[in-house]
Amino acid sequence: MRKALAIALLLIGSIQSLFAEHIKGGEMYYEYLGPGSMASTSRYRVTLKLYIDCNANSAGQLDTRINLTVFDKNSLLQVPGSPFDAPTTGDQFLRFDPASNPCISNAPTDVCYRVRSFSTVIELPINANGYTIAYQRCCRIDNIINLVPRSNAVGATYMCEIPGTNSLPEAYKNSSPRFLPNDATAICRGSNFTLSFAATEPDGTDSVTYSFCSGFVGANTDRPSPVSASSPPYTNLNYRSPYGGNGPLGGQVSIDPKTGLISGIAPTTIGQYVITVCAYEYRQGALINIHRKDVHVKVSDCIPLQALLKPNYSYCDDFLVTFRNEQVNPAGSVYTWDFGDGTPPVTTTDIEGRVQHQFADTGTYTVKVKVVLAGQCEDETVTLAKVYPGFYPAIKVQGTCVLLPLQFFDQTTSRYGAPAKWNWDFGDETTSADVSTAQNASWKFNTTGLKTVTLTVESDKGCVGTVTATADVREKPPIALAFRDTLICSIDTLKLNAGGNGIFSWSPSYNILDANTATPSVWPETTTTYTVTLNENGCVNTDNVRVRVVDFVTLNAGADSTICLTDTIRLNPQTDGLKFEWTANPATGYMSNPAVKQPFVKPDGNTTYHVVAHIGKCWAEDALNIRTIPYPTARAGADTLICYEDTATLHGSMIGYRFMWTPVSTLRDPNDLNTLAWPLRTTPYVLTVYDTLGCPKPGRDTVIVNVKDEIFAFAGNDTSIVVGQPLLLNGRGSDFYEWQPPLHLSRNDIANPVAMLNENFSYQLRAYTAEGCFDLDTINIKVFKTAPDIFVPNAFRPGGSRNNVLRPIPVGIATLDYFCVYNRWGQMVYRGYSPESGWDGTIGGRPQATGTYVWMARGTDYTGKVVIRKGTAVLIR
């Protein structure tokens, strides 16, 4: 059972490899070689070029031999000896190299064909109708855009035709055309492109014309590689609309019948497309042969260099206009603009070719742009620029009621020309018929709500503008009231005010004048509610205005109070007054607005504020006193500066009865005016003082204790030198430096003095600031009385307490070029460039075995001489 299952799986894998979807095109052609070995026969070399996916790698995809089936065109039967064996004669990769075409950005990197050639010599009798030679194989690549889905899961038929004597007596001596191999190209979606399907004509006497035609299916998943091809005629590929054999890339792509050059605008859908081209071969005016080739081309998401503008532009805002190329070209593109008004051309390297130009007058100008890349790619185009500034579209909406048509008026103004075309969209969500082309239009809405009305208007000068407005569609017409509740004095007259579209009327008729207008006058003696009615062509709405009537003004300016001097307060009188007049005595300090009910004031001392409140012709007056008390006095002292982890003394003083310091976490005693502070970073300390004189707020002052950053002195790593070697010290850590003792140094007050030593020595570095903050560090220098050399221990123990890393010890060496360690197989296990680093006995984190390892080191001594050393070291576990 297990054996049977294994055989079944093997067969399934073999079958899948046989019909794997890898075919990307093909062409079959032939060459007349002369008379055959027998009378009335001819010899032909027949060649098939099979295009397959570059990723094809299984045996079934890379056939080493194929069968060519030959049919007599009269009987459609195979000729004796058919099918003919054709071995492989060539294997070539055709790739698109993005570097070969700098005129394309985001160029594809997956355009690749593996072209396998098969060839054989066939001897055929000369006959009247000629022969058809065919090869069939499954399967084409998957997901071909211009074919019906899954129709490309079947195979392909590639064929050629040898003419007989019926077309011309010696037509059988023909050698077919051959298409030139230029298939690996970049076609960018939605962009102009060209692709040559030109063919050579070996005989030199025939003419060739070209057209798109259909490719053929052939073979299938049941018989992926038939021994003999099926007999003609062959079935066309099943194209998906809007594509077809005569339009494989859509209606915007065509082929030149004379040159075979395919050109046009590529489809916008990315993917593979089948293109089949037929070359019609004529001799002495007679059609003797139709030669064909199909290939799968890739439409990619790339961008070719292109000068691209719209057919015309309207500039209706200003004489200063902006031009740009409608396509972003590769970086480095240079644009040259000619504005057509006699001014010199302008060049820009802006990524969009964007330029600004000031036209001197109105008019229609022919503008040209030329784009050049890398001195070898260029394109140009022209457009019309209509410059007529001063075009201002506008809309007026009249009406609101859902029961009635709303009116829409074009309010566009134009300095040059006049509005000539209109397109209204009324924004009625219940229908798509809410449009009009009239200058002034109307529309009755079916629902209430805010409707966005859009008008696109064009002038007779070509200016086009779009403007929107909001139509507020309601059940009833809206009434806008200046107020709905107000107060008057019994001796006053008041003018009411309503807004809206329609006819107004007011009720009751009590003490009212002009009751049928939007702005009647009323003088009620008691509180009265007036009702307004708005009638918009039979659509009615009502609203109310309450007029309260009083005989006098009530007023209480407020209680006297005490505030802190320099504070601002808001006065708050209790009153039904509508208008106010405030005055201050003495007239000092600040008052925000003396005509409001609640002004803000900031008195300079004790002040009396007097207010008069009005309701129409009635008025009342009152006053209040504001007493000012100075803030308690707090003096936190002068700001200071300390070193890191140092202590500052705070010296506070006050006029008050109690105080507090904050924050308290870094203070010795927050209850002492004179205390110690030890912050680790710059800290503001606030002294808060209170008193009992009447100011309810504390006085505050702040002292800032600035803390210098911590100093980290570094004299350098301990090192080794040889006698007579100058050693450049490199201290760091602060602004100023002092080396002790100063012996054997070029200077002891700089960061990098030079030391000349004859024996072991140690220096202490003091790194300090101008404020006296400092830190100390020490460097130990070992002096060898030998020549410059590189020493390496002969053993090390990883993980031990000492000597646990194998590292070099350079003496008198200015620079270490490398330090390498090798295992017994010659494999490098470590490479370093610094004496501070070394090998820890691991590779990739994995411990290495105990044993002997070879090391090599190279450095340059302080005189410039190269020192090379090598040796062995034992790794001990």
Side-chain angles (χ1 to χ4, degrees), residues 777-839:
D777 192 32
T778 300
I779 182 173
N780 300 307
I781 305 167
K782 188 173 183 179
V783 180
F784 287 82
K785 297 181 179 181
T786 65
D789 209 339
I790 301 174
F791 300 99
V792 178
N794 59 10
F796 71 109
R797 184 190 301 274
S801 59
R802 61 189 182 88
N803 199 27
N804 50 20
V805 175
L806 184 65
R807 60 166 57 94
I809 304 173
V811 177
I813 302 299
T815 58
L816 181 67
D817 299 329
Y818 61 79
F819 173 66
C820 300
V821 182
Y822 301 86
N823 61 20
R824 60 180 178 176
W825 295 284
Q827 176 187 9
M828 182 186 294
V829 298
Y830 174 77
R831 184 183 184 97
Y833 305 94
S834 169
E836 284 78 22
S837 61
W839 186 44

Side-chain angles (χ1 to χ4, degrees), residues 76 224 776 800:
L76 299 182
L776 302 175

Side-chain angles (χ1 to χ4, degrees), residues 516-533:
N516 293 322
T517 69
T519 56
S521 298
V522 297
W523 57 95
E525 296 178 0
T526 60
T527 297
T528 303
T529 298
Y530 290 93
T531 299
V532 58
T533 299

Side-chain angles (χ1 to χ4, degrees), residues 501-516:
N501 182 38
I503 299 174
F504 289 93
S505 61
W506 295 82
S507 63
S509 59
Y510 167 65
N511 288 2
I512 186 170
L513 181 65
D514 298 329
N516 293 322

